[in-house]
């Protein structure tokens, strides 16, 4: 029971509008248990509350009801034990790429020469050494995404919360980084909650895939992917999983359309 | 053919070539900038030459009086001879002292006011009330309180230019992007340090704008307080020139103030370009 790294129980998030009519139920009655070292991917229709769920675990948003435990302790506020890669990068525009990556180690008071070495190897890992003195707006979207990843990995977090981190990448870079992330996850025994829109990515990376319904977001299936790694996306077994998740999402989107029409 | 090739290799390198092409553009810009003032001066000189009146001095007369004011011998009871440098330094010192206080207090308090909701609720009303009072209305108070003394002038300058700085900085601090604050928190920044690590940096463009506004106001207030509350300085010269009926000296003092104001603003602009070099290519066209 206490060996779970992340536990959510009956978690609900309501964003309150100006009028009660405008209240938005972003997540409803979500219960998840994630063990240390597990790689969990979350997939669901746009606007179903995936980011809201992630932000509650990160400590950015207050939950409306329910419970969130990280290592047995209730989550109250953000902290460096839970690294976040944002959907919109959120690099500091006034810092160069290198300074952005140095931000975390500096805040934690790491010695300068140790830090420099870590940052150098991190820059190499994400292939950004040549761009280290550029400002974020001078980088391509894919480079920014890699920078955002490097910025948190350099802190050696135990938990990594990622919001569609590879959405803006070309296929080649994406598969390189997917492989790299998979390797690092096992190497550092990272616990990862990974939001994606791509069914293939969800099945490729996840030990488990959580499928969410349209708003109000609920977990409609918690699917364990029992495939050996590295996974081959062209294998029949992989395709079997993919078809299953595709079907789930199709249903989720269709029921959403139905409820919309009955509501109106 | 061969000639073409040699001439090609003899050409200056790309950098030099660009410099050659740019120089005339740069010169043209400079010439354009001075075109209007020069035409104005010629017109002024023409008017005073064609229809001389005792009340309107010609540019020549202004320059002559100005030279006396700068280089003339220092004489008892003749403030308009040889005192220019001293007066400029006096005004400059008052502006710098007042503005330094206003800038430090305004930026610090503005950040705190904008960032912490409780402080905002506590002080917002008071600040808006004080801001509604024109600074000149404080002149009698300052003189009553400090006497005809440097502190009166510095108080007025600091107090007056504090408000545009504090209001603008507070507004910018409130606009800090939430994701950047969250990013810093999850990277390990302590909540009480967010104001320095994120809010200050995100507000920096607005801070520089507010400092330039404040500096402009500081020059207004130094002239006002030298006219009314303290001795010496360019405002004092302006008022004395008026009392002596010396329009030539009034003009010389006005142009002096203009040059100093422009130079100090240029300095702040250069400083801001340096501090905000990350913004290059991020904003505007
Ligand atoms: N701060 C907020 N205030 C009010 N409503 C919000 C807020 N943040 C999100 N919402 C609403 O909550 C719902 C879920 O949003 P969320 O960002 O979690 O969706 P998502 O699943 O991440 O979507 P996407 O896949 O498009 O990123 C949406 O309807 C959204 O409009
Ligand atoms: Mg989202």
């Amino acid at each position: 029971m206490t060996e779970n790294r992340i536990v959510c129980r009956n978690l609900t998030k309501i964003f309150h509008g100006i009028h009660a009519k405008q209240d938005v139920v972003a997540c409803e009655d979500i219960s998840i248990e994630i063990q240390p070292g597990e790689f969990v991917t979350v997939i669901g229709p746009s606007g179903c509350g995936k980011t809201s769920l992630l932000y509650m675990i990160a400590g950015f948003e207050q939950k409306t009801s329910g419970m969130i435990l990280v290592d047995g302790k209730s989550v109250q506020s953000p902290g460096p034990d839970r690294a976040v890669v944002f959907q919109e990068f959120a690099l500091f525009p006034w810092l160069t790429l290198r300074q952005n990556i140095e931000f975390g180690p500096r805040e934690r008071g790491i010695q300068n020469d140790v830090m420099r070495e870590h940052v150098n190897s991190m820059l190499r890992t994400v292939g950004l050494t040549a761009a280290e003195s550029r400002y974020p707006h001078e980088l391509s979207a894919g480079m920014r995404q890699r920078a955002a990843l490097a910025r948190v990995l350099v802190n050696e977090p135990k938990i990594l919360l990622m919001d569609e981190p590879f959405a803006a990448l070309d296929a080649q870079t994406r598969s390189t980084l997917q492989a790299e992330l998979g390797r690092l996850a096992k190497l550092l025994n990272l616990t990862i909650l990974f939001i994606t829109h791509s069914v293939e990515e969800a099945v490729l990376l996840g030990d488990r895939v959580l499928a969410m319904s349209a708003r109000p977001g609920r977990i409609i299936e918690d699917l364990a992917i029992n495939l050996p790694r590295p996974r081959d996306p062209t294998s029949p077994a992989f395709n079997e999983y993919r078809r299953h998740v595709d079907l789930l999402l199709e249903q989720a989107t269709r029921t959403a359309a139905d409820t919309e029409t009955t509501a109106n | 053919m061969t000639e073409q090739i040699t001439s090609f290799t003899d050409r200056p390198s790309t950098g030099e070539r660009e410099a050659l092409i740019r120089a005339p553009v740069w010169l043209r810009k400079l010439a354009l900038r001075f075109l209007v003032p020069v035409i104005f001066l010629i017109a002024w000189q023409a008017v005073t030459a064609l229809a001389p009146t005792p009340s309107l001095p010609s540019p020549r007369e202004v320059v002559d009086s100005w030279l006396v004011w700068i280089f003339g011998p220092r004489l008892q009871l003749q403030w308009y001879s040889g005192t220019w440098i001293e007066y400029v330094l006096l005004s400059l010192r008052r502006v710098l002292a007042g503005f330094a206080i206003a800038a430090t207090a305004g930026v610090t308090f503005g950040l705190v006011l904008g960032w912490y909701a409780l402080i905002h609720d506590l002080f917002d009303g008071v600040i808006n009330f004080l801001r509604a009072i024109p600074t000149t209305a404080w002149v009698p108070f300052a003189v009553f309180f400090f006497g005809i003394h440097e502190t009166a002038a510095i108080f007025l300058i600091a107090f007056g230019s504090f408000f545009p700085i504090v209001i603008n900085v507070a507004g910018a601090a409130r606009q800090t992007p939430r994701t950047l604050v969250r990013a810093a928190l999850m990277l390990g920044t302590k909540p009480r340090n967010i104001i320095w690590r994120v809010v200050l940096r995100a507000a920096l463009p607005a801070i520089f704008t507010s400092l330039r506004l404040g500096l402009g106001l500081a020059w207004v207030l130094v002239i006002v307080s030298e006219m009314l509350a303290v001795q010496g300085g360019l405002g004092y010269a302006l008022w004395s020139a008026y009392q002596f009926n010396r329009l030539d000296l009034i003009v010389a003092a006005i142009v002096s103030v203009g040059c100093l104001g422009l130079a100090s603003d240029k300095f702040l602009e250069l400083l801001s370009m340096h501090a905000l070099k990350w913004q290059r290519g991020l904003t505007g066209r």
Side-chain angles (χ1 to χ4, degrees):
Chain A
M1 171 80 191
T2 45
E3 70 183 287
N4 285 316
R5 179 131 287 164
I6 303 173
V7 176
C8 300
R9 206 152 288 153
N10 309 113
L11 195 57
T12 297
K13 175 72 194 176
I14 300 172
F15 287 107
H16 292 287
I18 303 166
H19 307 294
K21 267 190 292 188
Q22 292 171 348
D23 285 0
V24 173
V25 184
C27 309
E28 195 171 48
D29 197 25
I30 288 187
S31 296
I32 325 172
E33 291 181 356
I34 302 176
Q35 273 161 18
E38 233 181 342
F39 199 134
V40 176
T41 51
V42 180
I43 195 160
S46 178
C48 74
K50 303 181 293 295
T51 301
S52 308
L53 170 65
L54 190 101
Y55 278 8
M56 279 189 285
I57 298 173
F60 297 151
E61 293 280 2
Q62 291 304 312
K63 56 191 185 270
T64 308
S65 66
M67 191 170 74
I68 309 171
L69 301 178
V70 168
D71 284 332
K73 282 199 225 56
S74 176
V75 165
Q76 302 297 343
S77 55
D81 57 328
R82 280 154 290 140
V84 180
V85 177
F86 292 88
Q87 195 166 5
E88 60 270 34
F89 320 123
L91 296 166
F92 301 113
W94 52 83
L95 297 180
T96 62
L97 170 52
R98 185 186 192 87
Q99 291 166 333
N100 261 289
I101 300 177
E102 285 176 349
F103 188 94
R106 271 188 207 287
E107 288 295 34
R108 290 177 306 122
I110 308 288
Q111 247 183 323
N112 261 348
D113 44 341
V114 178
M115 172 185 76
R116 206 160 300 131
E117 218 160 282
H118 281 196
V119 171
N120 283 341
S121 80
M122 208 61 241
L123 282 167
R124 270 196 301 279
T125 308
V126 293
L128 287 175
T129 311
E132 63 164 34
S133 54
R134 287 201 234 160
Y135 288 103
H137 72 272
E138 299 168 327
L139 303 171
S140 74
M143 291 161 99
R144 271 178 241 172
Q145 214 141 42
R146 280 180 278 158
L149 186 60
R151 175 174 75 167
V152 295
L153 283 183
V154 78
N155 291 322
E156 296 170 356
K158 283 187 297 189
I159 296 172
L160 199 50
L161 305 170
M162 308 177 82
D163 198 351
E164 302 182 29
F166 300 151
L169 298 178
D170 63 287
Q172 197 50 52
T173 319
R174 182 186 307 140
S175 64
T176 313
L177 275 178
Q178 281 169 343
E180 187 62 28
L181 181 66
R183 194 184 67 81
L184 283 171
K186 291 294 162 256
L187 186 75
L188 306 171
N189 197 33
L190 291 170
T191 309
I192 299 180
L193 190 68
F194 184 108
I195 295 175
T196 174
H197 269 144
S198 149
V199 176
E200 175 170 325
E201 189 170 63
V203 176
L204 183 74
L205 292 174
D207 296 319
R208 277 156 65 197
V209 176
L210 301 180
M212 283 177 77
S213 69
R215 205 156 49 91
R218 296 159 169 276
I219 299 212
I220 47 175
E221 184 151 333
D222 184 344
L223 179 70
I225 309 289
N226 294 313
L227 291 175
R229 291 172 194 264
R231 289 170 182 165
D232 174 12
T234 56
S235 72
F238 190 97
N239 270 314
E240 199 63 41
Y241 278 113
R242 175 151 61 182
R243 208 165 304 131
H244 182 78
V245 178
D246 265 334
L247 211 64
L248 276 174
L249 282 182
E250 204 178 303
Q251 279 168 359
T253 330
R254 212 179 20 242
T255 46
D258 287 350
T259 45
E260 295 267 313
T261 40
T262 45
N264 288 341
Chain B
M1 198 66 200
T2 35
E3 197 185 277
Q4 257 181 357
I5 289 169
T6 30
S7 71
F8 182 77
T9 48
D10 280 343
R11 272 193 205 158
S13 70
T14 334
E16 286 170 306
R17 202 156 57 223
E18 272 185 5
L20 279 179
I21 297 166
R22 270 195 208 137
V25 175
W26 172 79
L27 257 176
R28 221 186 80 199
K29 269 193 162 176
L30 200 72
L32 277 179
R33 180 173 293 200
F34 283 104
L35 190 62
V36 175
V38 166
I39 289 176
F40 175 77
L41 278 178
I42 291 170
W44 180 9
Q45 182 73 48
V47 166
T48 46
L50 292 175
T53 46
S55 55
L56 184 65
S58 71
R60 262 234 70 115
E61 285 162 349
V62 169
V63 170
D64 287 344
S65 314
W66 200 343
L67 287 175
V68 172
W69 187 15
I70 301 175
F71 300 110
R74 310 244 355 206
L75 301 167
Q76 276 282 302
L77 295 176
Q78 298 193 348
W79 65 266
Y80 44 80
S81 180
T83 58
W84 186 79
I85 292 179
E86 185 198 325
Y87 281 9
V88 163
L89 289 178
L90 266 176
S91 295
L92 203 59
R93 200 180 70 195
R94 287 167 186 151
V95 164
L96 286 184
F99 177 69
I101 296 170
T104 318
V107 170
T108 315
F109 194 57
L111 289 175
V112 171
L113 194 70
W115 189 237
Y116 295 108
L118 178 68
I119 308 279
H120 178 260
D121 293 347
L122 270 176
F123 287 97
D124 196 47
V126 179
I127 289 205
N128 275 314
F129 172 71
L130 289 177
R131 189 173 67 123
I133 305 168
T135 318
T136 39
W138 290 91
V139 173
F141 172 84
V143 175
F144 189 86
F145 207 78
F146 299 106
I148 303 286
H149 190 264
E150 286 300 300
T151 359
I154 292 173
F155 165 81
L156 282 173
I157 296 166
F159 192 77
S161 44
F162 170 77
F163 290 103
I165 298 177
V166 87
I167 303 269
N168 281 296
V169 174
R174 255 194 303 281
Q175 300 286 322
T176 311
R178 182 185 276 174
T179 6
L180 295 182
V181 175
R182 289 173 166 175
L185 286 171
M186 73 82 188
L187 288 170
T189 306
K190 295 192 182 69
R192 67 183 147 83
N193 288 337
I194 287 289
I195 190 166
W196 307 121
R197 298 285 198 286
V198 183
V199 181
L200 169 67
R201 305 302 302 266
L204 212 53
I207 288 177
F208 274 105
T209 312
S210 76
L211 288 182
R212 287 174 73 179
L213 283 174
L215 189 59
L217 198 57
W219 279 107
V220 172
L221 292 170
V222 78
I223 298 304
V224 169
S225 54
E226 283 169 351
M227 282 178 172
L228 300 172
V230 285
Q231 293 215 314
L234 290 170
Y236 177 81
L238 267 169
W239 196 245
S240 311
Y242 164 74
Q243 286 175 328
F244 282 75
N245 252 330
R246 292 281 304 270
L247 191 55
D248 50 343
L249 283 170
I250 291 183
V251 172
I254 286 176
V255 177
S256 307
V257 174
C259 291
L260 285 172
L262 199 65
S264 59
D265 186 63
K266 202 79 202 163
F267 171 76
L268 262 189
E269 194 191 341
L270 287 177
L271 201 69
S272 103
M273 268 165 65
H274 177 75
L276 301 177
K277 59 173 189 284
W278 55 272
Q279 274 204 325
R280 225 178 295 153
L282 185 64
T283 52
R285 283 190 288 173

